[in-house]
Amino acid sequence: MRVLVLGGNGMCGAETILALAADGHRITTLNRGTAYWNNPDRLASAVAVQVPCDRDGLVDEGLPWPAAVCPPAEFDAVIDFSSYTRADTRSALAEFGPRIRFYLFISSDSVYEVCQPPILEPALTDKTQASGIGDGDWRLSTEEDARRPPKHSQLRRELRRADRYGHGKLVSEREVARSATLHGFRYLSLRLADVLGPRDNTGRWLGYVAWIIATAVIPAFPGVHLPAELQRRPISLVAAKDVAALIAAVVAGRLPDHTQPLDAAYNLAFNRPVLLRELLTAMAAAIGAEPRFSELGTGEEATTMLPSVERGPVATTLAQDRLGWTPTPLGEVIHESCRFYLEAIASGGNEAREAVADLVEDLGLTDLDPETVWRSVHSYAREKCVKRDTVSSACTRSDARSHEDWC
């Protein structure tokens, strides 16, 4: 198939392009060309045509779409990683809706942040599922929960102001559905939880790995913050490679035969949420470190990188039933990801240096020299990578337990 990928140069997009290329599709990408990690080299042979374009100009300045993606160029499917507002999505759908067969929109679990707050129920029902961890009263958001408060209500305005990203993604989902009805293409919207994997372009995972190491080698470095509100709140995550594999399966028509999965939105996450402490402890084990935490009280200022949402975890039952969603065990993804970031720190690359400098700045550590912190973190990573066989053995034992708990 001829596939146009809008965006696609970040962690999840790059994995998707490689998965699509492995299936033999002809891929055109349209993005600003921002380089993350070694993705340009990894994608060079996978992309047939790379079209440089800043989509902000298409909307804000009314510029035309680049000629390389306009007729006579033809596409069977569009994978949209880079629409964040109604205007972004309308622009793409106006150009490609009349001439494609399939549109896949990358959405987010942030859509629930702008929806009607759920009512916690002590008893389980078909529409209310308990997370099974934390305080026991966390409700997993299902796809049916994407319902806005009444139009023009004060609550609706407040939620929109509080999370414009979630608002943009939700209204974009609805634009895709309306355009599909108008033009007759099939569609899918994927509501991703916080994404985990190597080559993260947000800096969150590398930042946490650097923080864990710093607490292990610098006694004066503050422990990883565990704010009161996150100590018992379960969070949902999803692996970039699992998202990519699912998208490739959808495009290739490898979904379960007994279902009608298209023309809908789905949550994607590991099937079981996890507490932040559990996650960080597993990350520390993967790099051979003993984690040190700072448990903060209510109202104390905290630096956190996860989660990106406040509403809580999401249910994946619908994706399991209709899309055959079978995520990789969380422990395995943690091990793979943390080993990547450990090696990135050991190699002394710019991403790692910047992560350490940002961490020192974000924590307001004016009494610590960022370069001294970097040298300590870098030295630890180099030593662990030299002793990789010993570290890997320890991580394998930890992962075996994690797989059983988190699969």
Side-chain angles (χ1 to χ4, degrees):
M1 292 180 67
R2 297 156 298 185
V3 181
L4 172 63
V5 178
L6 303 179
N9 49 349
M11 171 171 59
C12 211
E15 293 299 324
T16 298
I17 289 170
L18 292 172
L20 292 170
D23 282 342
H25 302 296
R26 176 181 170 81
I27 300 168
T28 298
T29 61
L30 184 144
N31 55 54
R32 290 175 294 189
T34 305
Y36 299 110
W37 300 93
N38 63 337
N39 281 339
D41 293 336
R42 298 172 70 224
L43 300 180
S45 62
V47 176
V49 180
Q50 202 283 318
V51 182
C53 178
D54 184 346
R55 289 187 63 188
D56 289 343
L58 303 179
V59 174
D60 298 341
E61 302 173 32
L63 299 177
W65 286 81
V69 297
C70 294
E74 295 182 356
F75 302 101
D76 300 297
V78 170
I79 315 296
D80 187 355
F81 285 92
S82 61
S83 285
Y84 300 101
T85 67
R86 188 198 307 269
D88 291 340
T89 313
R90 279 182 173 174
S91 174
L93 292 168
E95 178 61 43
F96 304 110
R99 52 193 180 97
I100 61 171
R101 291 189 287 155
F102 178 67
Y103 196 100
L104 191 143
F105 177 67
I106 300 298
S107 189
S108 166
D109 61 354
S110 291
V111 300
Y112 300 110
E113 301 292 293
V114 297
C115 291
Q116 188 74 38
I119 299 174
L120 295 178
E121 303 173 19
L124 298 181
T125 69
D126 291 340
K127 297 182 180 180
T128 304
Q129 306 174 46
S131 65
I133 63 174
D135 291 327
D137 61 355
W138 282 97
R139 183 181 186 277
L140 299 181
S141 294
T142 69
E143 289 78 359
E144 293 182 355
D145 291 322
R147 297 187 298 270
R148 304 295 295 272
K151 197 171 184 179
H152 306 306
S153 67
Q154 180 66 21
L155 176 59
R156 183 164 176 151
R157 289 192 294 269
E158 290 174 354
L159 292 173
R160 175 178 176 174
R161 282 196 299 268
D163 198 319
R164 294 190 179 279
Y165 175 77
H167 167 77
K169 285 295 187 180
L170 186 56
V171 296
S172 291
E173 285 185 19
R174 292 173 181 175
E175 287 296 326
V176 172
R178 280 192 285 266
S179 183
T181 300
L182 177 64
H183 297 296
F185 60 80
R186 310 299 300 274
Y187 75 91
L188 208 60
S189 293
L190 301 180
R191 296 172 181 163
L192 308 188
D194 286 322
V195 183
L196 169 62
R199 301 177 183 83
D200 171 38
N201 50 295
T202 70
R204 294 179 296 187
W205 298 104
L206 179 57
Y208 265 134
V209 169
W211 196 347
I212 290 168
I213 294 174
T215 66
V217 298
I218 304 172
F221 209 89
V224 182
H225 289 178
L226 288 177
E229 62 271 19
L230 291 181
Q231 291 174 24
R232 301 298 297 168
R233 182 200 301 172
I235 61 178
S236 284
L237 304 167
V238 68
K241 65 180 181 180
D242 289 340
V243 176
L246 178 63
I247 293 173
V250 170
V251 172
R254 295 194 295 265
L255 296 181
D257 294 335
H258 65 283
T259 66
Q260 296 293 326
L262 299 184
D263 306 330
Y266 294 90
N267 297 332
L268 292 188
F270 292 102
N271 291 339
R272 179 182 181 274
V274 62
L275 292 174
L276 184 58
R277 180 189 284 273
E278 283 184 278
L279 172 66
L280 295 171
T281 300
M283 291 173 65
I287 58 174
E290 191 69 32
R292 181 159 51 85
F293 301 114
S294 292
E295 294 190 2
L296 305 179
T298 302
E300 288 190 76
E301 185 175 352
T303 296
T304 58
M305 304 172 201
L306 290 166
S308 64
V309 296
E310 297 182 1
R311 189 60 62 85
V314 296
T316 60
T317 304
L318 197 63
Q320 294 174 53
D321 292 345
R322 295 187 183 177
L323 302 178
W325 174 247
T326 309
T328 306
L330 176 57
E332 180 180 323
V333 181
I334 290 173
H335 175 242
E336 175 191 8
S337 303
C338 290
R339 290 301 310 181
F340 174 86
Y341 296 120
L342 184 70
E343 291 168 10
I345 294 171
S347 71
N350 289 334
E351 293 93 348
R353 285 180 174 271
E354 291 172 2
V356 171
D358 290 345
L359 179 62
V360 173
E361 181 180 356
D362 292 344
L363 291 172
L365 304 178
T366 56
D367 55 336
L368 290 178
D369 174 37
E371 184 60 29
T372 301
V373 175
W374 162 250
R375 286 196 297 268
S376 298
V377 171
H378 175 57
S379 176
Y380 175 94
R382 284 180 59 84
E383 179 182 352
K384 287 298 182 181
C385 287
V386 168
K387 298 178 180 179
R388 182 168 183 171
D389 290 343
T390 302
V391 175
S392 296
S393 174
C395 291
T396 300
R397 288 194 296 272
S398 173
D399 282 350
R401 181 174 62 255
S402 298
H403 291 182
E404 180 180 352
D405 292 342
W406 293 339
C407 63

Coordinates of all heavy atoms in Angstrom, one line a residue, residues 119-125 128 130 136-137:
I119 N -18.0 8.8 38.0 CA -18.6 8.6 39.4 C -18.0 7.3 39.9 O -18.2 6.2 39.3 CB -20.1 8.6 39.3 CG1 -20.7 9.9 38.8 CG2 -20.6 8.2 40.7 CD1 -22.2 9.9 38.6
L120 N -17.3 7.3 41.0 CA -16.7 6.1 41.5 C -17.8 5.3 42.2 O -18.6 5.7 42.9 CB -15.6 6.5 42.6 CG -14.4 7.2 42.1 CD1 -13.5 7.5 43.3 CD2 -13.7 6.4 41.1
E121 N -17.8 4.0 41.7 CA -18.8 3.1 42.3 C -18.1 2.0 43.0 O -17.1 1.4 42.5 CB -19.6 2.5 41.1 CG -20.3 3.6 40.2 CD -20.9 3.0 39.0 OE1 -21.1 1.8 39.0 OE2 -21.2 3.7 38.1
P122 N -18.5 1.6 44.2 CA -17.9 0.5 45.0 C -18.0 -0.8 44.3 O -17.1 -1.7 44.5 CB -18.6 0.6 46.3 CG -19.9 1.2 46.0 CD -19.7 2.2 44.9
A123 N -19.1 -1.1 43.6 CA -19.3 -2.4 42.9 C -18.9 -2.3 41.5 O -19.0 -1.3 40.8 CB -20.8 -2.8 43.0
L124 N -18.3 -3.4 41.0 CA -18.0 -3.5 39.6 C -19.2 -3.7 38.7 O -20.1 -4.4 39.1 CB -17.0 -4.6 39.3 CG -15.7 -4.6 40.0 CD1 -14.8 -5.8 39.6 CD2 -14.9 -3.3 39.7
T125 N -19.2 -3.0 37.6 CA -20.3 -3.2 36.6 C -19.6 -3.4 35.2 O -18.4 -3.4 35.1 CB -21.2 -2.0 36.5 OG1 -20.5 -0.9 35.9 CG2 -21.7 -1.6 37.8
T128 N -17.7 -0.3 34.6 CA -16.8 0.2 35.6 C -15.8 -0.9 36.0 O -16.3 -1.9 36.5 CB -17.6 0.8 36.8 OG1 -18.5 1.7 36.4 CG2 -16.6 1.4 37.8
A130 N -12.3 -1.9 38.2 CA -11.3 -1.5 39.2 C -9.9 -1.8 38.7 O -9.7 -2.7 38.0 CB -11.5 -2.2 40.5
G136 N -7.7 1.1 45.5 CA -8.8 0.3 45.2 C -10.0 1.0 44.7 O -11.0 0.4 44.4
D137 N -10.0 2.3 44.6 CA -11.1 3.1 44.1 C -10.8 3.8 42.8 O -11.6 4.7 42.4 CB -11.6 4.1 45.2 CG -10.6 5.1 45.5 OD1 -9.4 5.0 45.0 OD2 -10.9 6.0 46.3

